Amino acid sequence: GYALCWLLADCPAVGRRRCLSLSFMTGGVCMFAMLIIAIKPLPGADTFLLILSLLGKIGAAAAFQLAYIYPAELFPTSVRGTALGIANIFGRIGAVTAPQAMNLPPVILRSMLSMISFIVGISSLCLPETLGRTLPESENT
């Protein structure tokens, strides 16, 4: 996931925004496909579930890497530290609530995680592309 992210995020045809979106949507689609297969298992689905889980892990790893690179380039210097700190707080809230989420039924947990990941992937397309741009020094630039 990290190597793929490194290659795609620096590719002018893809860029950071599309790579971030693709990473989140890959994780969401794989999780949703795993949910459907878990609800209605098919013979020989174990191999397919393994492939989907590995593809989802690649998407999650790439999204995690870009979640630190992209916001650092998006915000101006004057608020960059604060913005990254707030983003880190939300990440830590997710880490704290993750063990509690295991008490949910697997179908509900997987459907929630896949929807959130897919929605974040679509929403990130609304952000500006930062590849090749100089870092903003102030809020006016």
Side-chain angles (χ1 to χ4, degrees), residues 27-106:
V29 167
C30 287
M31 180 74 74
F32 189 73
M34 289 171 56
L35 171 69
I36 290 173
I37 291 173
I39 291 173
K40 186 162 176 76
L42 301 169
D46 292 340
T47 304
F48 194 58
L49 282 172
L50 178 64
I51 292 169
L52 283 173
S53 65
L54 291 175
L55 286 174
K57 174 63 177 155
I58 288 171
F64 182 77
Q65 183 179 8
L66 279 169
Y68 283 96
I69 296 171
Y70 189 66
E73 295 177 346
L74 195 59
F75 295 107
T77 304
S78 59
V79 295
R80 187 172 298 140
T82 304
L84 289 176
I86 291 171
N88 200 352
I89 287 171
F90 283 105
R92 299 300 169 217
I93 290 171
V96 168
T97 58
Q100 308 310 319
M102 293 306 296
N103 296 330
L104 292 172

Side-chain angles (χ1 to χ4, degrees), residues 14-15 29 78 103 105 110 114 125 140:
V14 179
V29 167
S78 59
N103 296 330
R110 287 180 182 160
S114 65
L125 290 173
N140 298 331

